[in-house]
Amino acid sequence: MKKFLTYEVLVGDVKIGKNNPISVQSMTNTKTLDTKKSVEQIIKITKAGSDFVRLTVQNIKEAKNLKNIKNELKKLNSNIPIVADVHFNPNIAEICARNVEKVRINPGNYIDKKKFENVNYTELEYKNEIQKIRLRLLSLIKICKENKTSLRIGTNHGSLSDRIMSKYGNTILGMVESAMEFLRICKEENFYQVVISLKSSNTKIMVNSYRKMLEKMKEENMNFPLHLGVTEAGESEDGRIKSAVGIASLLREGIGDTIRVSLSEAPELEIPVAKKILNYLENKKLIKNFHLKKRKLKIKNYPMVICDISDYKIDEKIFSKFYDFNEKNNSWKKKSLTPEFFFVNNLQINDKFKIPFDLKFIVKNGKEKNFFENIDIFLRNFNKNAEYNFLKIKYSHLKKSFFDKIKNFKNLIFILETYKNEVSETYASFEKLEFFKCEIPVIVKFSYEENNFENLLLKASCDFGGLFIDSIAEGIFIENKISNKNPEKINELSFGILQGTGARISKIEYISCPTCGRTSLDLQKIIKEVKENTKHLKGLKIGIMGCIVNGLGEMADADYGYIAIGKNKLNLYKKKILMKKNVPMEKASEELINLITKTI
């Protein structure tokens, strides 16, 4: 996959940007003062295929211990480049710049503070604040130049400074300007060994921030490489979906030079996921027409979900996966992830099965047929009695003569398919629909042949993600030709992609940070417990943060959340309001449920 050419940045022997391959990375979750454990984990991450490894550095002692870690790695014949992750203290960043290949600083807290206060600056006062940043940053730039150390200016949606928030609000422009203030200083000093990141747990904000950043850099004649990632993506399938959705949407547009998949799991597990995303996208065409208008069609349950059950009998066994049966009322009730339509070959229903009143089918063959693969057959045989008729379309169909034929049909829905799931062709199809002012709903269908569910999950997330981030398609249809033995799992994936893109919220959304050396508790354990105890709820956002760095800011739009404050202790929040201090980890789920029960 081609990408936009940027400056070339060296991180040790690893080259980022320009024509170089997209690199992958992860971050340790050990204590940086623990040299032995840190080195062991760095080696694990390296063996998994990481190009470089980041460590949190919270104080002067940790900054100085980086030299010991580097020395121990050399003894093991490892020259893996090390990145120091620094917040709050420029002195620490300057020490790190002498000891490792790259330093990450956060413009939201490098000089500025985050107290969630609104500050009104005059124009002169604002310029003076920028001058303070400049004077302090010059010292770091000088050290970086002397030691051939690169820099990452890492903006986080959850840790924008009060100064930026007061001027720009909690916006995409605020994220971009937070980074640009530092980049302008770097450019003035002819320091181009800089990588930029603009991370958020919200994939829409993340994707559009990078797009805006690229636009802004072009305006000011800059082209710094971009580090992509969805921060606080979570763990398990949801974390993988959100990461693939955000990262792939940008890579498909040629944006991105290095990536990190942030999962609340062991750090070495992030690398294979990142590699799978890159491998899948390697030969895909770039999307050049992603700035399409949002389609505003009046349809219910947008975006729609279609579940393929064409290999199954229409009986209680299959529908108990999607509906709950109430024996008292002898009726079926939708579950939270019940799709709008079921795709079947024939509508042959077991006589003993009482169909739920709202059950809707897309039927390929037989008397009740309402799905057509050819426009001429559709025109001759469309189902007059069906609530909807479905017509398969391809890019090559979308000509004036085609739209003239179907312009008078109501209750028609397109199912758009593309050769080899070529997403660039899908976007081109929507461009045609926009040109001809067609307002017929479009369900996008991609087909796969995957026995491994993680592979299916990542590929589908990479393919569908941008379409729903940009609110282009009206429905999702995932077909898996080989392992269609678990339709409810594929149905969950469809809803998961819609949730991960913010297109349709159908279950609890968990915002949880990846583990790192700042984490003071067993994050994976508490996430599992909280998920288990809240899985019956719907539509809420719950944040589970391992430290204060991005914690309160990144989960600012969460309904409830925890932030770790010490060894196995957490603070419990409702929105940004602190509700309870020093909650023991073993009581975290209980206290959260109690709070939700009292206040929901």
PDB file of all heavy atoms in Angstrom, residues 546-561:
ATOM      1  N   GLY A 546      -5.854   2.782  34.046  1.00  0.00           N
ATOM      2  CA  GLY A 546      -4.771   2.308  34.903  1.00  0.00           C
ATOM      3  C   GLY A 546      -3.983   3.395  35.582  1.00  0.00           C
ATOM      4  O   GLY A 546      -3.208   3.130  36.506  1.00  0.00           O
ATOM      5  N   CYS A 547      -4.130   4.657  35.132  1.00  0.00           N
ATOM      6  CA  CYS A 547      -3.395   5.760  35.773  1.00  0.00           C
ATOM      7  C   CYS A 547      -4.068   7.082  35.436  1.00  0.00           C
ATOM      8  O   CYS A 547      -4.996   7.140  34.634  1.00  0.00           O
ATOM      9  CB  CYS A 547      -1.926   5.770  35.351  1.00  0.00           C
ATOM     10  SG  CYS A 547      -1.662   6.457  33.710  1.00  0.00           S
ATOM     11  N   ILE A 548      -3.559   8.150  36.000  1.00  0.00           N
ATOM     12  CA  ILE A 548      -4.190   9.467  35.894  1.00  0.00           C
ATOM     13  C   ILE A 548      -3.785  10.229  34.642  1.00  0.00           C
ATOM     14  O   ILE A 548      -4.404  11.227  34.279  1.00  0.00           O
ATOM     15  CB  ILE A 548      -3.865  10.321  37.156  1.00  0.00           C
ATOM     16  CG1 ILE A 548      -4.855  11.490  37.289  1.00  0.00           C
ATOM     17  CG2 ILE A 548      -2.419  10.808  37.125  1.00  0.00           C
ATOM     18  CD1 ILE A 548      -6.261  11.065  37.594  1.00  0.00           C
ATOM     19  N   VAL A 549      -2.723   9.770  33.910  1.00  0.00           N
ATOM     20  CA  VAL A 549      -2.163  10.555  32.814  1.00  0.00           C
ATOM     21  C   VAL A 549      -3.230  10.981  31.810  1.00  0.00           C
ATOM     22  O   VAL A 549      -3.398  12.145  31.514  1.00  0.00           O
ATOM     23  CB  VAL A 549      -1.021   9.789  32.101  1.00  0.00           C
ATOM     24  CG1 VAL A 549      -0.642  10.484  30.804  1.00  0.00           C
ATOM     25  CG2 VAL A 549       0.189   9.716  33.013  1.00  0.00           C
ATOM     26  N   ASN A 550      -3.957  10.012  31.247  1.00  0.00           N
ATOM     27  CA  ASN A 550      -5.039  10.347  30.315  1.00  0.00           C
ATOM     28  C   ASN A 550      -6.398   9.990  30.892  1.00  0.00           C
ATOM     29  O   ASN A 550      -7.412  10.167  30.244  1.00  0.00           O
ATOM     30  CB  ASN A 550      -4.856   9.604  28.991  1.00  0.00           C
ATOM     31  CG  ASN A 550      -3.567   9.963  28.306  1.00  0.00           C
ATOM     32  OD1 ASN A 550      -3.232  11.128  28.177  1.00  0.00           O
ATOM     33  ND2 ASN A 550      -2.817   8.961  27.891  1.00  0.00           N
ATOM     34  N   GLY A 551      -6.374   9.443  32.114  1.00  0.00           N
ATOM     35  CA  GLY A 551      -7.557   8.840  32.696  1.00  0.00           C
ATOM     36  C   GLY A 551      -8.812   9.667  32.647  1.00  0.00           C
ATOM     37  O   GLY A 551      -9.749   9.368  31.906  1.00  0.00           O
ATOM     38  N   LEU A 552      -8.881  10.716  33.433  1.00  0.00           N
ATOM     39  CA  LEU A 552     -10.121  11.483  33.556  1.00  0.00           C
ATOM     40  C   LEU A 552     -10.488  12.163  32.237  1.00  0.00           C
ATOM     41  O   LEU A 552     -11.658  12.260  31.888  1.00  0.00           O
ATOM     42  CB  LEU A 552      -9.989  12.521  34.678  1.00  0.00           C
ATOM     43  CG  LEU A 552     -11.279  13.221  35.093  1.00  0.00           C
ATOM     44  CD1 LEU A 552     -12.362  12.219  35.459  1.00  0.00           C
ATOM     45  CD2 LEU A 552     -11.020  14.167  36.257  1.00  0.00           C
ATOM     46  N   GLY A 553      -9.491  12.606  31.495  1.00  0.00           N
ATOM     47  CA  GLY A 553      -9.772  13.255  30.217  1.00  0.00           C
ATOM     48  C   GLY A 553     -10.277  12.290  29.176  1.00  0.00           C
ATOM     49  O   GLY A 553     -11.248  12.554  28.480  1.00  0.00           O
ATOM     50  N   GLU A 554      -9.630  11.126  29.058  1.00  0.00           N
ATOM     51  CA  GLU A 554      -9.997  10.172  28.023  1.00  0.00           C
ATOM     52  C   GLU A 554     -11.351   9.537  28.296  1.00  0.00           C
ATOM     53  O   GLU A 554     -12.048   9.113  27.380  1.00  0.00           O
ATOM     54  CB  GLU A 554      -8.927   9.087  27.899  1.00  0.00           C
ATOM     55  CG  GLU A 554      -8.920   8.374  26.572  1.00  0.00           C
ATOM     56  CD  GLU A 554      -8.676   9.302  25.399  1.00  0.00           C
ATOM     57  OE1 GLU A 554      -7.574   9.861  25.284  1.00  0.00           O
ATOM     58  OE2 GLU A 554      -9.607   9.492  24.598  1.00  0.00           O
ATOM     59  N   MET A 555     -11.742   9.459  29.581  1.00  0.00           N
ATOM     60  CA  MET A 555     -13.060   8.888  29.866  1.00  0.00           C
ATOM     61  C   MET A 555     -14.050   9.990  30.262  1.00  0.00           C
ATOM     62  O   MET A 555     -15.052   9.738  30.909  1.00  0.00           O
ATOM     63  CB  MET A 555     -12.974   7.830  30.967  1.00  0.00           C
ATOM     64  CG  MET A 555     -12.663   8.332  32.343  1.00  0.00           C
ATOM     65  SD  MET A 555     -12.792   6.958  33.541  1.00  0.00           S
ATOM     66  CE  MET A 555     -12.975   7.897  35.060  1.00  0.00           C
ATOM     67  N   ALA A 556     -13.754  11.213  29.787  1.00  0.00           N
ATOM     68  CA  ALA A 556     -14.600  12.357  30.154  1.00  0.00           C
ATOM     69  C   ALA A 556     -16.037  12.194  29.675  1.00  0.00           C
ATOM     70  O   ALA A 556     -16.966  12.691  30.306  1.00  0.00           O
ATOM     71  CB  ALA A 556     -14.011  13.645  29.593  1.00  0.00           C
ATOM     72  N   ASP A 557     -16.231  11.492  28.546  1.00  0.00           N
ATOM     73  CA  ASP A 557     -17.601  11.317  28.062  1.00  0.00           C
ATOM     74  C   ASP A 557     -18.186   9.977  28.494  1.00  0.00           C
ATOM     75  O   ASP A 557     -19.267   9.595  28.054  1.00  0.00           O
ATOM     76  CB  ASP A 557     -17.660  11.458  26.538  1.00  0.00           C
ATOM     77  CG  ASP A 557     -16.864  10.391  25.806  1.00  0.00           C
ATOM     78  OD1 ASP A 557     -15.993   9.766  26.449  1.00  0.00           O
ATOM     79  OD2 ASP A 557     -17.105  10.181  24.606  1.00  0.00           O
ATOM     80  N   ALA A 558     -17.459   9.258  29.381  1.00  0.00           N
ATOM     81  CA  ALA A 558     -17.993   8.001  29.917  1.00  0.00           C
ATOM     82  C   ALA A 558     -19.043   8.309  30.979  1.00  0.00           C
ATOM     83  O   ALA A 558     -18.986   9.334  31.664  1.00  0.00           O
ATOM     84  CB  ALA A 558     -16.871   7.160  30.517  1.00  0.00           C
ATOM     85  N   ASP A 559     -20.007   7.424  31.122  1.00  0.00           N
ATOM     86  CA  ASP A 559     -21.043   7.616  32.137  1.00  0.00           C
ATOM     87  C   ASP A 559     -20.513   7.309  33.531  1.00  0.00           C
ATOM     88  O   ASP A 559     -20.854   7.992  34.497  1.00  0.00           O
ATOM     89  CB  ASP A 559     -22.237   6.704  31.823  1.00  0.00           C
ATOM     90  CG  ASP A 559     -22.845   7.039  30.464  1.00  0.00           C
ATOM     91  OD1 ASP A 559     -23.519   8.073  30.367  1.00  0.00           O
ATOM     92  OD2 ASP A 559     -22.621   6.273  29.513  1.00  0.00           O
ATOM     93  N   TYR A 560     -19.676   6.283  33.613  1.00  0.00           N
ATOM     94  CA  TYR A 560     -19.065   5.890  34.887  1.00  0.00           C
ATOM     95  C   TYR A 560     -17.637   5.438  34.598  1.00  0.00           C
ATOM     96  O   TYR A 560     -17.329   5.022  33.478  1.00  0.00           O
ATOM     97  CB  TYR A 560     -19.838   4.728  35.530  1.00  0.00           C
ATOM     98  CG  TYR A 560     -21.292   5.035  35.787  1.00  0.00           C
ATOM     99  CD1 TYR A 560     -22.269   4.735  34.836  1.00  0.00           C
ATOM    100  CD2 TYR A 560     -21.704   5.632  36.979  1.00  0.00           C
ATOM    101  CE1 TYR A 560     -23.608   5.026  35.054  1.00  0.00           C
ATOM    102  CE2 TYR A 560     -23.043   5.923  37.211  1.00  0.00           C
ATOM    103  CZ  TYR A 560     -23.987   5.624  36.247  1.00  0.00           C
ATOM    104  OH  TYR A 560     -25.304   5.925  36.472  1.00  0.00           O
ATOM    105  N   GLY A 561     -16.794   5.515  35.610  1.00  0.00           N
ATOM    106  CA  GLY A 561     -15.433   5.062  35.362  1.00  0.00           C
ATOM    107  C   GLY A 561     -14.580   4.968  36.604  1.00  0.00           C
ATOM    108  O   GLY A 561     -14.865   5.574  37.644  1.00  0.00           O
TER     109      GLY A 561
END
